[in-house]
Amino acid sequence: ADKLGALLTESFERNAKATNLMRLATLLGSKDEAGGSRGLDIKVTVKRKDGRSHSLDIASLPTFHDGDRVDLVLSNRGNAPIDVTVLYLDSEYGIDIFFPDPKAPGSANRIEANSLPITIPIDLVATTIGMERLIVVAVEAKKHEMQSDFSFLKQARLERTRGHTGGLDALFIEAGFGQEATRGASIQRGAKQNAEVRVISWRIEGK
């Protein structure tokens, strides 16, 4: 019984965390748009398993299969640097990190204004099927401030260990990703002034 209770509790936490992430993406706006107010420009190209390649309209809802690949190309066309986190929300409420490099914790995720584009390859594997989403969080970077990195949202991390909170960090905590809720209205206004979230949705079908 204790084991079943722990399993149900963990399943509920995973579901709630993924649902809250989508709620915040909607709150912060710019859903399914290529260009946004922070200067972030997104282009997506697809390479199918059969060798066909094409660009993707990110406002569409394509269907992918095991072995397809998506290349996410990020550019900063604004006048200020931005800190970018790319998360992947699968159909079973898992949250993975594609940028910054998950194999190098603490690696830079700042994209300078008018710098060269960054390409993030995403190999699609049908270990989960159904509706899945790529979520791109962009925060305007300030001089002499640490980079904003939302890798702590990775689903496997049930405890948050970052020391600094404030602005968009605090908004994520308030929505259920951390321990406490604080000063909701003022935090939300501050977060929306310097951040945006884009959502790219697609379906994964079986092998």
Side-chain angles (χ1 to χ4, degrees):
D2 291 343
K3 186 175 181 180
L4 177 59
L7 180 61
L8 290 174
T9 298
E10 182 180 2
S11 296
F12 176 78
E13 288 175 341
R14 289 177 180 272
N15 188 318
K17 189 174 181 181
T19 301
N20 282 342
L21 180 57
M22 278 306 303
R23 181 162 66 88
L24 281 174
T26 301
L27 173 67
L28 292 172
S30 299
K31 183 177 179 179
D32 292 332
E33 295 178 1
S37 58
R38 298 300 128 213
L40 177 65
D41 182 77
I42 298 176
K43 290 184 173 59
V44 181
T45 58
V46 179
K47 185 174 183 179
R48 299 286 182 172
K49 186 177 181 179
D50 61 10
R52 293 178 297 131
S53 297
H54 60 88
S55 60
L56 178 69
D57 176 2
I58 66 175
S60 66
L61 183 61
T63 297
F64 295 128
H65 299 84
D66 186 81
D68 290 341
R69 191 177 99 171
V70 169
D71 283 339
L72 180 70
V73 182
L74 306 177
S75 303
N76 181 1
R77 296 187 176 181
N79 297 317
I82 51 177
D83 294 338
V84 177
T85 308
V86 179
L87 308 102
Y88 189 84
L89 174 59
D90 68 35
S91 59
E92 295 184 1
Y93 308 110
I95 301 173
D96 219 338
I97 309 298
F98 282 102
F99 187 79
D101 186 355
K103 297 178 181 178
S107 60
N109 67 333
R110 184 159 295 178
I111 304 178
E112 298 294 336
N114 299 307
S115 59
L116 292 174
I118 294 173
T119 300
I120 303 169
I122 301 171
D123 293 313
L124 301 176
V125 181
T127 51
T128 57
I129 58 175
M131 180 74 76
E132 308 206 330
R133 297 173 176 89
L134 198 66
I135 300 175
V136 183
V137 183
V139 180
E140 184 174 316
K142 304 296 184 182
K143 285 186 176 180
H144 311 302
E145 286 189 3
M146 294 180 62
Q147 65 189 32
S148 297
D149 180 359
F150 298 97
S151 296
F152 64 83
L153 295 179
K154 183 178 174 65
Q155 189 65 193
R157 298 181 184 175
L158 299 180
E159 293 183 3
R160 185 174 178 277
T161 58
R162 288 163 55 91
H164 171 73
T165 61
L168 191 60
D169 297 59
L171 178 57
F172 276 118
I173 294 172
E174 182 188 11
F177 297 117
Q179 298 98 348
E180 299 179 359
T182 57
R183 302 197 317 271
S186 62
I187 289 173
Q188 291 182 19
R189 285 194 296 268
K192 293 182 74 173
Q193 288 174 0
N194 72 341
E196 62 179 316
V197 177
R198 316 280 186 79
V199 181
I200 305 170
S201 303
W202 56 59
R203 294 185 184 277
I204 300 289
E205 292 189 351
K207 298 180 180 181

